[in-house]
Amino acid sequence: MELVFNIFLAAFLIVFYAVSLSFGGMTISTDQIGPGGFPQIVIILSLIFLLINTVDLLKNKKNTKKTKFDFHDKGFQIMIIGIALFALYIVLLNLLGFMLSTFIFSSVTIWMLGYREKLKGLAFILILTISITLVFGKFFFVSLPRGIWILRELSYLIY
Amino acid sequence: MEAIIQSLSIVFGPMSLILIVIATAFGMICGALPGLGPSMAIILLLPFTYEMDPIVGIIVLVAVNVGAQAGGSISAILLRVPGTSSAIATTFDGYPMALQGKAGRALGLAMTASAFGSIFSALAMLVCAPLLAKVALRFQSAEYFALSLLGLSCISSLGSKNQVKALLSACLGLLLSTVGLDAINGVERFTFGQSFLYSGIDYIPVMIGAYAIAEVYVNISEKCSGKPEVSHVEKNASFEFIKIKDVIKNWWVYLKSSIIGTVVGIIPAAGGSIAAFIAYSEAVRSSKTPEKFGTGIEEGIIAPEASNNGAVGGSMVPTLTLGIPGSPTAAIIMAAFMLHGLTPGPLLLSQQPEMLYSIFIGIIVSSLLMLVLGKYISIEFSKILKLPYPLLAVLIMVLGVVGAYSLRNSFTDVLILFAFSFVGYFFNKFKYSTSAFVLGLILGEIAENSMRKQLIVNDGSWMGFITRPISLVVIIISLMAFFGPMIKQHKENKSNKIIAE
C-alpha cells in the first residue's frame, strides 16, 4: 500500500515540476533563481528522497511490517462513514448555515460512533452549537456560514 | 527612580491589577481556542482601552499577548490542536507527554516556561532595549535566510526514526509554501487558475487538518474496531506546579530558549512561531539525548514555550525604541499607541520613561498571574477530556472547522483543512513526519524570499551568506544542528552492527 502512496507522490511531484517550467524566466537580472527555481530544487530533492525510500521499501519488503487498510474492519468502515459525514457537514455549512448543519452533523456522528444516551447527547449538541455560535459569531464577530434563503435571514437574528 | 515608582503605582493600582488579571485570562482563553490567537484577542480588547489611561491600556493589551502566547499550549498538549501558530512546536513533545499520562506536568512546564520567557524578555527590554534594537537593524535577508535554515535544521531530529521520510515530508511542506503569487516577480505559482490560492496556503488550517482531524480519524478507527487502546490522554489531568529545583535542573534550556525568543522577537517579521522552532532545534542540537525529542520529554516543551513568550517582550523592543513593530501583534499594539495619541519611538521613551517601566512591570505581573490562572484555565479545558470519545471527536471536528473558517472568514480554508486531514492520516499511517511537513510549510516562504532577495542585492553572488558574520555563525550552527543527529545515529548503527557481529 505504501508503494501506491509513493507512486501517487511521484506523480504529484512530476506534475508540479512540469507546471513549474511555465513560470517564466527572470525579470530581475540578478534574481538567478527566478520564480521556478526554488520549487524545482525542492521537487528534485523530494524525488531523490522518494526514490531512496522506495528502493529501501522494496529491499526490505520481507522484513518490514506491511501497512495495509483492512476494508472489512468495523473500525475502518466507521471511520470512512465518519469522513463522509464530515465532508457532508462541510458542504451543508453553506446551505443550511452553521447552527443547523452543526446540529445535524453532531447528532448523526455521535450516534454513528456508538453514543446512545439520548438526553445527554442532545444536551451536549445544544450546548456545543449554541456556545460556539455565541462565542465566535456574537462575541468574536466571526461571520459564521449563514446558509441560504430563509435560514440566512434567520441567522442575522442570532449572530 | 521617580519613573519606576510612578510605574509601580500605575501597575499596582487596584483597577490596573484587576484589568491585568482579566486581560491575561482572556488572552489565555483566546490562545487556547484554535483560529483566534493573540492578534484577534488584542483587536477585540482594543476598543475597551479607549477610555483607559494610555499606559494602563497598553499594559492590558500586552497582558493579553502574554496570556495568548501561553494559552496556545493548552490545546496543543491536551488535544494536539495548537491554539496559536507559535504553539505548533509544543505539540511535538507536549501531546506525547500527555499520552504518557503526564498532561498535568506538561501543562505546568508550558506555563512555567512561558512565564520564564516573558519575564526574561521584559528584563532584556528594560536593560538593553536601544542596544537590542540596533542589533535588530543589522538583520537583512542573509540573516533571515540563516534563521530559517536554523529552524529547518530540527527536521533531522524530528525524523530520528526515518530521516529520509522526514526530509521528504519537509520538502513537500517547502513545495506547498511556494503556492500562490511569487513575492518577488508576482508570477502565479501552482494556483491552477484558482484565485483563492493567490495568497498561498495558510498553515493554520493545514495544521488543524493534519494534526487534529487526522488524529480523530485514527482514533475513530482504533476505538470502533474493538482493539485495545495503545495510549490515551489521562482524563483527570490536573495542573502540576513545577518546583524550583526542576527549573534549576533545566535552567540552561529555559535561559537559552528565552534568549532565542527575545532575539528573534526583536527581529521585525520573525515572531513567536519561528522563535519556537529555532529554540526547539537548538534544544535538540545541544541535548545529550536528541533521539528522545518527539517522544514527550520536558525540554521539548520548555524550549518552544520559553521562546514564544520571550518573543513577546522582544517584539516590543523595536516597537518602543524605533517605532518598528517586531510582529503582527506588536503592530496592533503600535496602532493602540497611536489611538491614545502616542507615537512610539526614541522620543516617547525620553519624554515618558514610565511607559517602558510600566510595560516591563506589567509583563512580569501578567507572567506571574499566568502561572496561577494557567492552573484554573487548564483544569477547565481538561474537563473536555472527560467527555466520551464520540462527543470529543465531534467537538474537535466542529472546533477545527470553526478555527479554520474564522481565520479569514473563508470557506476555502475549511476545504484546505479537509484536504490536509488526509495528508495527516496517510503520513501517520506510513510513518512520515507531519511536524517536518508543517515546519517546511511555515519556513518555506521566508527561506525562499530571503535567499532570493540576498542574491538580488549581491548581484547574484552567493558569498553574501558567508561574508556577513551573523549569517555565517547561524549557518554553521544550522549545519551542526542538522547533521549532528544524523552522524550520531550513523555511529550508533555502526557500533550496533559491530556488536551484533
Side-chain angles (χ1 to χ4, degrees), chain A residues 24-47:
Chain A
M26 298 175 287
T27 49
I28 303 166
S29 61
T30 50
D31 183 15
Q32 287 192 332
I33 294 178
F38 185 79
Q40 283 167 6
I41 296 167
V42 172
I43 291 169
I44 292 167
L45 282 173
S46 304
L47 284 168

Side-chain angles (χ1 to χ4, degrees), chain B residues 70 84 113 147 189 237 266 300 334 348 365 402 420:
Chain B
T84 59
L147 275 183
R189 298 193 296 185
I266 292 168
M334 197 170 132
L348 178 74
V365 172
V402 176
F420 281 91

